[in-house]
Amino acid sequence: MMRWVMAVVLALGCRALAASPCTIQTNWLCAGTPQATPCYVIDSGRTGPVVLVVGGMHGDEAGWAAAGQIAAWQVRRGKLVVLPQANRPGVFQHTRLQPAESNAALRDLNRNFPTKTNAAPRGALAAAIWAQTKAVKPDWLLDLHEGYPKLATRTNGVGSSLIVMTPMLTLPVVSNLLDAANTIVTNTAQRFRLLRQPIAGSLARAAGDRLGCHAVIAETSRDNPNISERTRQHRLIVHRLLRKLEMDANGPDVLTRRQPGVIRVALYDDSGGHTRVSVEDKLDRAGDLETHRVDGGMIERGVLEQFDVFFAPGGSGSGQARELGEKGREVVRKFVQGGGGYVGICAGAYLASRSTKRPYLGILNAGIADVDRGRDVVTVELTEAGRKLLGCTERELKINYHNGPVWGPGQKSAPACEVLGVFRTEVFPTNRTTRVTMSGTPALITGTYGQGRIICSSPHPESTAGLDAIFLHMVRWAAPK
Ligand SMILES: [Zn+2]
């Protein structure tokens, strides 16, 4: 909580009046039903515009992730209202439509809001969202979506666009939002463009037509594989609007705020390795873990300060090291040194290790004895320390293995790692003449670096059926106590 308050004070800097933190009110829409979803009213206590940000209208788009992060922001005047997971069952099941809606005509939530001819919203969820929208009287509505790119074969793709009410097309602030969206676009095919008139039945169109609200649908493009970058585009758009309205107090890289009993996990998500959505789901569903995707640039700018644990997934250890860059690698080292946890799996385990050949972090005191062994299901025998730490009674585990490190000794002068499990099988590269024996070498190890705890696995417990509990134990163990 302290850091949260301090962040606001810092963001306000030398502005004349010291603002007190906003009050945050949570309104549950459709409370007590399977569609129940929270709406946060972040109130500065000062007069000013009301901005409503909506995510998760379509559950298979990452707008909900950005909106959830924006819900951690503060404002210095007016109110920021955030409904991060409009179609919450869809967000949990990664479906565009409402999964439990029996009437097929009502499944697309963003077609159920009032139109010119029909004043009544359709279905209980749209009715609750519409009632909340009318109650907060937004001056601006930003509905965060993701679309497919406009291609020769898919000319109706709305990816990389801002869809605004027609009279808004000439507003200077709208071109400002477009600039914000394009700030981090490097692929010219993904440059944002303006489109007119949100579709009839959408919340944005209803709010524009019936409430006179400045309504925008912001569509990032799904052909960009970095979810962390897409959510950042959404944040940049919303943040630019808040700045233009003189409401911004923090952001755009504020992702979370501290909550008692919640471990905040930064998931590495960049071209060196994307955390899989299925792994993100496992962590999110644990209940005590909150995850956000971060890329190399965000790490360089200091987002790890908001987290307890850094998770480096499979992918390419060298790729991750390269994407982090020298500065980013130093930020991760400092994070762990200062007490942050590190969980590395496969590529993420390489990244933590020592290497004379590759620019790894060197925070785990283990060298790399061999690489690129191949792919198999391996047997790992747990040590007593391993069984205890991982909360596991079994002596042996079968774990998916995919080119993870074969570890060798670290530096004699540094504290030794603790071995939680050793390989009991060999995976042979067929094209090798010299063989390093894998059986008997560590498969799962822990170490410390400064104040921080590191736990690394060469094989993949996070993607092996039946090992979810072990994976969650790893993450919880790494968190600062
Ligand atoms: Zn959508």
Side-chain angles (χ1 to χ4, degrees):
M1 200 63 188
M2 196 58 212
R3 189 183 294 168
W4 177 231
V5 176
M6 274 170 58
V8 176
V9 174
L10 285 175
L12 292 174
C14 57
R15 280 186 194 110
L17 294 166
S20 51
C22 298
T23 57
I24 304 169
Q25 186 188 323
T26 307
N27 300 333
W28 280 88
L29 312 186
C30 292
T33 76
Q35 294 164 313
T37 189
C39 180
Y40 304 99
V41 180
I42 300 155
D43 189 346
S44 67
R46 295 172 175 207
T47 54
V50 176
V51 175
L52 171 60
V53 176
V54 178
M57 193 71 88
H58 294 137
D60 61 338
E61 301 166 13
W64 64 267
Q69 293 161 350
I70 291 162
W73 293 2
Q74 298 261 307
V75 283
R76 56 190 162 103
R77 70 182 193 117
K79 284 181 202 167
L80 172 63
V81 183
V82 188
L83 174 65
Q85 303 178 350
N87 166 15
R88 202 164 192 235
V91 168
F92 277 74
Q93 294 182 39
H94 305 289
T95 58
R96 171 182 174 86
L97 305 178
Q98 299 185 76
E101 176 57 65
S102 52
N103 182 347
L106 298 187
R107 282 200 188 124
D108 189 337
L109 177 59
N110 211 26
R111 301 292 181 272
N112 293 350
F113 294 96
T115 60
K116 269 217 166 90
T117 50
N118 186 3
R122 307 188 305 159
L125 181 55
I129 294 171
W130 184 240
Q132 177 74 29
T133 304
K134 285 197 292 185
V136 300
K137 299 189 180 72
D139 299 289
W140 282 83
L141 164 68
L142 289 163
D143 192 5
L144 310 182
H145 286 254
E146 301 201 302
Y148 290 98
K150 185 178 175 180
L151 301 169
T153 50
R154 194 199 285 270
T155 51
N156 60 348
V158 293
S160 301
S161 72
L162 297 180
I163 310 169
V164 303
M165 298 298 292
T166 303
M168 293 168 61
L169 282 167
T170 52
L171 284 183
V173 66
V174 168
S175 56
N176 257 292
L177 299 187
L178 203 59
D179 286 346
N182 281 322
T183 314
I184 54 171
V185 175
T186 48
N187 177 350
T188 50
Q190 288 168 357
R191 280 189 75 77
F192 279 70
R193 61 205 196 279
L194 276 183
L195 298 176
R196 71 180 69 207
Q197 248 6 18
I199 193 165
S202 65
L203 178 61
R205 179 69 173 272
D209 277 342
R210 291 182 171 267
L211 307 180
C213 171
H214 291 98
V216 182
I217 295 180
E219 303 263 4
T220 59
S221 186
R222 292 180 185 229
D223 61 337
N224 177 354
N226 284 21
I227 298 176
S228 55
E229 202 166 283
R230 280 152 38 195
T231 53
R232 181 148 188 266
Q233 285 173 328
H234 276 144
R235 292 198 309 275
L236 287 169
I237 294 164
V238 176
H239 188 257
R240 180 68 65 92
L241 176 66
L242 296 181
R243 208 170 79 197
K244 286 287 153 196
L245 299 175
E246 299 181 340
M247 291 172 69
D248 60 309
N250 59 10
D253 278 341
V254 169
L255 310 180
T256 171
R257 71 183 117 93
R258 187 178 289 279
Q259 294 177 73
V262 175
I263 298 170
R264 298 172 304 171
V265 186
L267 306 178
Y268 180 84
D269 185 62
D270 213 328
S271 43
H274 299 288
T275 297
R276 287 185 188 189
V277 170
S278 59
V279 173
E280 182 184 29
D281 280 352
K282 282 176 192 178
L283 296 166
D284 285 343
R285 282 170 190 173
D288 59 336
L289 306 169
E290 180 188 328
T291 66
H292 296 276
R293 290 169 179 269
V294 303
D295 63 19
M298 289 163 67
I299 290 170
E300 225 181 84
R301 287 190 302 278
V303 294
L304 290 185
E305 284 176 14
Q306 301 171 51
F307 290 92
D308 304 303
V309 174
F310 175 69
F311 174 76
S316 156
S318 312
Q320 292 175 4
R322 195 173 49 243
E323 287 297 327
L324 283 170
E326 207 172 311
K327 197 174 160 201
R329 294 195 295 271
E330 192 51 29
V331 169
V332 176
R333 283 189 203 100
K334 289 248 163 69
F335 168 73
V336 179
Q337 194 171 34
Y342 183 104
V343 180
I345 290 178
C346 196
Y350 278 107
L351 180 67
S353 305
R354 289 181 182 277
S355 172
T356 50
K357 295 182 188 149
R358 306 257 164 87
Y360 296 152
L361 300 170
I363 54 176
L364 183 72
N365 190 23
I368 303 293
D370 202 13
V371 300
D372 296 336
R373 300 286 294 205
R375 188 171 192 162
D376 208 344
V377 175
V378 294
T379 301
V380 172
E381 182 185 340
L382 296 179
T383 61
E384 202 182 320
R387 289 197 297 276
K388 196 174 160 199
L389 191 150
L390 301 170
C392 183
T393 51
E394 286 158 84
R395 292 192 160 267
E396 285 189 348
L397 299 174
K398 302 271 188 213
I399 314 181
N400 293 337
Y401 171 84
H402 191 179
N403 285 321
V406 175
W407 277 302
Q411 260 184 9
K412 284 214 171 70
S413 55
C417 294
E418 176 144 44
V419 177
L420 304 182
V422 293
F423 287 114
R424 283 297 173 221
T425 44
E426 286 289 333
V427 181
F428 290 122
T430 49
N431 55 351
R432 301 271 182 90
T433 45
T434 53
R435 279 182 184 167
V436 175
T437 304
M438 178 173 164
S439 182
T441 66
L444 270 146
I445 51 182
T446 68
T448 55
Y449 184 74
Q451 304 295 308
R453 294 171 156 202
I454 301 157
I455 185 162
C456 287
S457 177
S458 174
H460 286 275
E462 90 290 7
S463 64
T464 304
L467 300 187
D468 291 357
I470 284 174
F471 171 52
L472 295 177
H473 267 286
M474 290 173 65
V475 177
R476 291 186 184 117
W477 176 84
K481 298 295 170 283

